[in-house]
Amino acid sequence: MRYPWRLILITVFLLLFVLAPTLARWYTDWLWFGEVGYRRVFWVPLLSRIGVTVVVGGVLFALLYANLRLLLARNGSGDLIELGRARGGRSYRLPPPGALPGSVLAVLALVSFAAGIAASARWPMFQQFVHARPFGAADPIFGRDIGFFVFKLPVYQYIEAALFSWLVLVFIVAAAVYSLRYSALMFRGSWALPDRVRIHLSVLAGVILLVRGWGFWLDGFGIEYASGKAIYGATYTSVHAVLPALRLLTVLFILGALLMFINVRRRTLGLALATAVAIAAAWVLGLGVYPGIVQQLRVSPNELTVETPYIANGITATLRAFGLDGVREEAFTAEPLTPAVLARNQATVEDLRLWDYRPLLSAYRQLQTLRPYYAFLDVDIDRYRIGGRQRQVMLAAREMETSRLSPQARTWVNEHQVFTHGYGLVMSPVNRVSEEGMPEFYLKDIPPVSSVDLPVNRPQIYFGEATESYVVVNTKVDELDYPRGDDNVYGTYQGRAGIRLSALSRLAFAYRFADARLLLSTDITSSSRMLFAREIGTRLRRLAPFLAYDEDPYIVLVDGRLVWIIDAYAISTRYPYSTPAPGTPGLDGDPLAGINYIRNSVKIVVDAYDGTVDFYLMDPTDPVAASFAGIFPELFKPVSSMPAGIRAHLRYPVDMYEVQARMYATFHMRDPRVFYNREDPWVIPTELFGSDTVLVEPYYVTMRLADGTVPEFALILPFAPANRDNMVAWMAARNDAPHYGELIVYRFPKDRLAFGPMQVEARINQDPTISQQLTLWNQEGSRVIRGNLLVIPMERSLLYVEPLFLQAERSQLPELRRVIVASGPRIIMAETPEAGLSRLLAAAPPAPLPPGTPAPPPSVGGSVRELIAQASETYERAQQLLRQGDLAGYAREIERLGEILRRLRESQGP
């Protein structure tokens, strides 16, 4: 009686701990996809996985079953072996192996199912095969549309590799079984196999050869992914030696397969062996010896000449694949900065970014966290219309981290029902500093207090970057809405997110999260709702795991609501002739490392309160994104349907920009000869942050580009020549409509020095006044943090700006104390950028005037009324500089005031 109880216990165990959790996960996923409005997105991957599992598993099961039936079939008359007179003329019949047992069928089904499950993870590849889109461009070697390489070829290669592997395994097993079965006869002197065995092995060998011949044909297309010395992709040797050898091997393998099929009726094993010898010779000579001979005798002595067209192919493909083929290049003369240039670029001066995001994040955490359970994870930069003009700001969301609660407060009720959401955000202008060296706030405190026309009507953050745990809302327990003094304000969730908790869904979620308290809690009612997958990265990857996502979502305030904007990328590693991107230095697991095609085709908006997710297709011409839009037509919305308030905050993504910059640093050399000789490689320059040497990061600035008439929001990055520190060019990505996404590269003249960031850093260190002050601060129980050195183009001039922060050794609160400005050979440290720029220009020699240009009016002059106004303005400016401790600036303004008074006396006559 023990065995039924064991069976019952095993059945109960499987139901409770294997089947029930699986069904619970499927059921809750189905509820979740319905709640976010994308239930079809749940069904398409699931049905695709099932379909791939059934097809792959079914084909494999049929293959294994058919061969196993032949292998274990009962002996017929063909198995009667005549041993001959040497053994007395006796006849032997091998014992029948018996029928195919059910246990063997179960093993076959299990193996086939496992293989199908493994293959089902590749469902996007198979779906893209069905929904392939043309690129409208052909590869230069085979003349096929790029879509064949991106969508079709991976599937063909997968099928070939899988079939070949399983067929070889089956052949080895069959040969081993037949050898064991007939080994007794072979020991008795008979080496002749029965016809059935010969037919079986011949057909298997023929199919293997046929499949591998197809594989060699597909391998021919792989020459466009080869890493060569001169260029990534097909080279002279691969086209003129490797490709013909692969085509010859294809023919030989097909010929070998035909001979093996003929061997079914006529013994052609001798010819097949001869073909095998020819294949081996072609393999060794064609893929090993001959390419080496061609490389040494034809290519190496004339490499530049013979490889030129292939290098051109690689340059063209790489620029096209990374969206760099439309980069516009212009000359940048690096002229001296003048007052006239500065006056025409006041929008840039007024939005000079003084705050580095790292010290600012520390300041936000010290000044605006307000409660220990709140946290600022990062600082974003954006632009808003404030006071009738576009202003550049930095902002951060105040999120909830229940892990920061005291150990006594970290109860299940608090973590999942009370402390459910973050609250509000802080925002400050990039260029404003208080008298204490702290940021000035546009938005601050709880509830949010706004000093500008930016109200926050819905400050709660239920979905964000720190919302990793599930919460249950609308329970009998009130949620903490926000703290107020010594008391707290409580409330309930009013949004539409969440899954209603019925008895069945509570049970399913209890299984999913392995948390029985979801079932036992009496505070949860039928009106309660479950919010999970609240972390926006997790939320998006559940909906669209086939996209790559930017590492920096950013918070946006639109019409009083908080939303997150995330950039998503359509990527591929299969673009022919395109060189793969290197990984980001210092970033482990870079998701964009190794790709050779990228488009920022999708922008995603996630509501911080409701959790609604909208995918907007920015570039419908991108074939990769278009293929996914064909698979999920209801997932992607046209960008024309994006609200105007959100569209005004779209930014060119930094992650993609960095990849493009690293690629353009090499592939700006479009001349194959220059590229081959690596005559002009660029690198991302370095700078000092604190005391560390780091790569310059791309940064957003408000500036007027050379061809623009109004200031615009741009993402820029300088380039330096390899092994040198001066600047050679800079790249700008435009962010504002109608020029969004345009890339411009400005090249410096080679006969004029443009200081690079590290050269300016060295000159700062060499300045006796500045270095003495930095040394003094570092010795007084404080630490100097040198912020980002910004290289800001103004028309055809360059301005360098570096903020200096002072942080006490026992404090995490940095204070912005000085700003260093530089242009050309001049470097000034002052308390404000305005004071620094004034002194910088006062020390600058006048710029030469173009021929025929009338002389400018004197800096001081005009009517008596104008002189009196100038005197008043100069006096007020001098008093402000005196209050700031800028004695040099105060002396300069007093000197100017004296000049104005002298002019006034002269205007009154003797």
Side-chain angles (χ1 to χ4, degrees):
M1 295 294 292
R2 293 184 306 171
Y3 295 105
W5 283 109
R6 287 183 178 180
L7 182 61
I8 291 172
L9 289 175
I10 292 173
T11 302
V12 171
F13 175 82
L14 292 175
L15 286 176
L16 292 179
F17 299 104
V18 178
L19 182 61
T22 302
L23 292 177
R25 190 169 193 85
W26 284 353
Y27 176 59
T28 52
D29 279 346
W30 181 77
L31 291 175
W32 183 83
F33 278 92
E35 182 258 323
V36 296
Y38 295 110
R39 186 155 283 166
R40 177 182 165 87
V41 178
F42 169 79
W43 286 114
V44 169
L46 179 61
L47 294 177
S48 299
R49 286 178 176 271
I50 293 174
V52 173
T53 301
V54 169
V55 173
V56 174
V59 170
L60 180 58
F61 182 83
L63 174 66
L64 297 178
Y65 178 80
N67 282 277
L68 201 59
R69 283 296 302 269
L70 290 172
L71 193 62
L72 301 180
R74 292 184 178 276
N75 294 318
S77 58
D79 287 334
L80 188 62
I81 306 297
E82 298 293 339
L83 295 181
R85 297 185 182 89
R87 298 294 179 186
R90 295 179 57 189
S91 299
Y92 293 88
R93 183 182 299 275
L94 293 175
L100 202 63
S103 59
V104 174
L105 288 176
V107 171
L108 291 185
L110 184 62
V111 171
S112 301
F113 179 73
I117 288 293
S120 68
R122 298 173 177 262
W123 69 266
M125 179 182 71
F126 293 105
Q127 279 282 13
Q128 285 189 289
F129 179 87
V130 177
H131 296 87
R133 298 290 188 270
F135 276 69
D139 82 285
I141 303 301
F142 302 98
R144 289 178 177 263
D145 187 87
I146 303 299
F148 167 80
F149 294 87
V150 175
F151 301 121
K152 303 288 187 180
L153 184 59
V155 175
Y156 295 148
Q157 290 175 326
Y158 173 82
I159 294 173
E160 184 274 330
L163 278 177
F164 181 76
S165 300
W166 282 107
L167 285 168
V168 169
L169 180 62
V170 168
F171 182 87
I172 292 173
V173 171
V177 171
Y178 284 137
S179 298
L180 290 174
R181 181 183 298 178
Y182 296 107
S183 59
L185 299 180
M186 293 178 181
F187 282 126
R188 289 176 172 82
S190 176
W191 293 91
L193 291 174
D195 289 342
R196 178 177 55 82
V197 176
R198 177 171 53 82
I199 293 171
H200 185 195
L201 294 180
S202 295
V203 171
L204 270 179
V207 174
I208 290 173
L209 291 172
L210 199 61
V211 170
R212 192 63 196 97
W214 181 41
F216 278 116
W217 179 266
L218 297 176
D219 290 345
F221 299 110
I223 65 172
E224 299 204 16
Y225 303 104
S227 180
K229 176 183 176 183
I231 196 69
Y232 182 89
T235 61
Y236 181 92
T237 299
S238 57
V239 171
H240 292 85
V242 176
L243 183 59
L246 291 172
R247 295 297 187 246
L248 175 60
L249 284 170
T250 299
V251 173
L252 290 175
F253 268 76
I254 294 174
L255 178 60
L258 292 176
L259 290 174
M260 294 310 300
F261 292 147
I262 294 173
N263 192 55
V264 169
R265 293 189 174 275
R266 298 178 58 186
R267 296 183 181 274
T268 57
L269 195 58
L271 289 175
L273 290 175
T275 304
V277 172
I279 288 174
W283 202 323
V284 173
L285 296 176
L287 296 182
V289 178
Y290 182 58
I293 293 174
V294 172
Q295 182 69 29
Q296 291 298 321
L297 300 183
R298 177 73 177 101
V299 176
S300 294
N302 313 284
E303 190 168 34
L304 178 57
T305 302
V306 300
E307 297 288 16
T308 292
Y310 304 102
I311 295 174
N313 291 339
I315 295 172
T316 301
T318 302
L319 291 173
R320 186 186 297 135
F322 286 93
L324 297 169
D325 52 328
V327 171
R328 190 171 85 245
E329 290 195 356
E330 294 188 6
F332 193 90
T333 53
E335 298 168 358
L337 183 65
T338 64
V341 171
L342 202 63
R344 290 194 297 269
N345 291 271
Q346 277 302 301
T348 301
V349 175
E350 293 173 2
D351 264 350
L352 284 178
R353 181 162 68 86
L354 304 182
W355 283 100
D356 185 284
Y357 67 90
R358 287 157 287 198
L360 183 62
L361 180 59
S362 297
Y364 280 176
R365 287 171 174 170
Q366 292 294 315
L367 300 174
Q368 282 292 307
T369 299
L370 303 182
R371 288 293 189 274
Y373 42 77
Y374 288 129
F376 296 104
L377 297 189
D378 65 357
V379 175
D380 301 315
I381 187 166
D382 203 349
R383 70 282 198 203
Y384 287 78
R385 291 203 67 81
I386 298 174
R389 62 178 293 266
Q390 181 170 290
R391 299 298 300 266
Q392 195 175 162
V393 300
M394 303 182 85
L395 64 165
R398 186 185 292 107
E399 298 204 54
M400 173 71 69
E401 281 194 344
T402 55
S403 61
R404 296 172 176 264
L405 291 169
S406 65
Q408 297 79 8
R410 291 197 64 184
T411 64
W412 183 82
V413 172
N414 277 343
E415 290 186 337
H416 297 287
Q417 296 183 43
V418 177
F419 295 90
T420 57
H421 58 273
Y423 202 88
L425 76 164
V426 293
M427 179 188 295
S428 58
V430 297
N431 62 336
R432 300 281 290 276
V433 185
S434 69
E435 293 183 358
E436 298 81 14
M438 297 292 106
E440 291 189 1
F441 291 102
Y442 284 158
L443 286 167
K444 63 179 182 177
D445 296 343
I446 300 176
V449 176
S450 176
S451 62
V452 293
D453 187 21
L454 290 174
V456 185
N457 303 324
R458 182 58 78 182
Q460 295 87 352
I461 301 174
Y462 282 86
F463 301 86
E465 295 183 89
T467 49
E468 296 181 349
S469 63
Y470 72 87
V471 296
V472 183
V473 297
N474 296 345
T475 66
K476 294 180 182 179
V477 178
D478 290 332
E479 301 174 48
L480 170 69
D481 195 20
Y482 61 89
R484 183 174 59 190
D486 295 331
D487 300 321
N488 292 328
V489 175
Y490 294 91
T492 57
Y493 181 66
Q494 303 296 322
R496 56 186 178 181
I499 300 167
R500 291 196 177 274
L501 290 176
S502 63
L504 179 60
S505 60
R506 285 180 70 173
L507 177 62
F509 280 114
Y511 260 111
R512 182 185 186 105
F513 298 119
D515 198 337
R517 287 168 292 192
L518 284 168
L519 284 175
L520 301 176
S521 174
T522 58
D523 295 324
I524 299 176
T525 69
S526 58
S527 299
S528 300
R529 282 185 279 177
M530 166 68 70
L531 277 63
F532 78 102
R534 298 189 301 137
E535 193 271 322
I536 52 180
T538 302
R539 199 169 184 82
L540 298 183
R541 288 177 179 87
R542 286 173 59 83
L543 288 168
F546 42 81
L547 295 174
Y549 294 95
D550 195 271
E551 294 295 314
D552 184 26
Y554 58 101
I555 193 79
V556 174
L557 175 61
V558 181
D559 299 328
R561 295 182 70 92
L562 299 178
V563 300
W564 297 92
I565 298 181
I566 306 96
D567 290 281
Y569 307 115
I571 61 175
S572 177
T573 60
R574 303 294 303 177
Y575 199 99
Y577 252 123
S578 176
T579 300
T584 301
L587 179 61
D588 295 332
D590 184 357
L592 301 182
I595 65 166
N596 67 357
Y597 175 88
I598 186 171
R599 290 292 186 274
N600 177 214
S601 302
V602 182
K603 300 279 188 180
I604 308 164
V605 179
V606 180
D607 190 285
Y609 187 69
D610 281 338
T612 54
V613 183
D614 294 307
F615 290 77
Y616 294 99
L617 190 60
M618 294 291 295
D619 184 7
T621 64
D622 170 29
V624 177
S627 70
F628 288 123
I631 302 169
F632 303 102
E634 77 292 337
L635 182 62
F636 299 101
K637 300 178 180 178
V639 70
S640 58
S641 64
M642 180 183 289
I646 294 177
R647 196 181 306 176
H649 292 278
L650 297 182
R651 306 184 320 189
Y652 200 87
V654 172
D655 285 359
M656 176 170 162
Y657 181 81
E658 286 183 323
V659 170
Q660 290 178 310
R662 291 197 299 271
M663 298 306 296
Y664 200 79
T666 299
F667 286 88
H668 71 275
M669 297 180 286
R670 303 193 184 202
D671 186 323
R673 294 179 178 271
V674 175
F675 185 93
Y676 174 82
N677 293 319
R678 295 297 196 269
E679 295 179 18
D680 189 25
W682 299 346
V683 295
I684 308 300
T686 57
E687 63 168 334
L688 293 178
F689 177 77
S691 58
D692 299 325
T693 300
V694 298
L695 290 175
V696 173
E697 298 178 359
Y699 45 91
Y700 294 97
V701 296
T702 299
M703 61 179 298
R704 186 163 60 87
L705 294 172
D707 63 339
T709 57
V710 296
E712 57 185 284
F713 196 56
L715 180 63
I716 68 173
L717 182 70
F719 290 108
N723 303 316
R724 286 184 290 164
D725 289 330
N726 63 290
M727 275 205 306
V728 68
W730 62 278
M731 175 187 282
R734 308 177 81 168
N735 289 259
D736 297 337
H739 302 292
Y740 176 88
E742 293 181 8
L743 297 175
I744 308 174
V745 170
Y746 294 89
R747 287 177 175 260
F748 294 101
K750 295 184 178 181
D751 59 349
R752 184 178 302 176
L753 175 64
F755 290 111
M758 209 61 187
Q759 290 176 319
V760 176
E761 297 278 20
R763 293 174 56 227
I764 291 173
N765 291 334
Q766 294 165 6
D767 186 280
T769 303
I770 298 176
S771 62
Q772 182 180 5
Q773 183 65 65
L774 297 182
T775 302
L776 179 63
W777 278 337
N778 278 318
Q779 292 176 350
E780 294 182 346
S782 58
R783 180 170 68 97
V784 175
I785 301 175
R786 295 168 67 160
N788 282 129
L789 175 64
L790 303 182
V791 183
I792 301 173
M794 289 187 181
E795 297 183 9
R796 300 298 178 183
S797 304
L798 290 176
L799 174 65
Y800 305 83
V801 179
E802 181 174 87
L804 297 180
F805 301 89
L806 198 60
Q807 181 174 309
E809 290 182 354
R810 299 182 181 272
S811 170
Q812 295 297 317
L813 184 59
E815 302 174 6
L816 200 159
R817 284 306 181 189
R818 294 290 187 273
V819 178
I820 297 175
V821 294
S823 181
R826 305 179 305 281
I827 295 179
I828 301 293
M829 183 174 69
E831 290 194 355
T832 66
E834 293 81 7
L837 288 172
S838 179
R839 292 169 55 190
L840 187 74
L841 294 177
L849 296 174
T853 303
S859 59
V860 174
S863 65
V864 173
R865 185 185 299 273
E866 290 172 343
L867 287 171
I868 293 174
Q870 292 175 19
S872 176
E873 292 172 358
T874 303
Y875 175 79
E876 292 295 331
R877 192 159 51 246
Q879 293 302 311
Q880 180 181 1
L881 292 173
L882 182 61
R883 289 192 296 270
Q884 294 173 350
D886 187 358
L887 299 180
Y890 173 78
R892 186 184 63 254
E893 294 301 323
I894 291 298
E895 182 180 352
R896 175 180 169 83
L897 180 60
E899 175 65 15
I900 295 174
L901 293 175
R902 185 181 64 81
R903 291 293 182 94
L904 275 171
R905 286 194 300 269
E906 292 176 355
S907 65
Q908 294 176 354

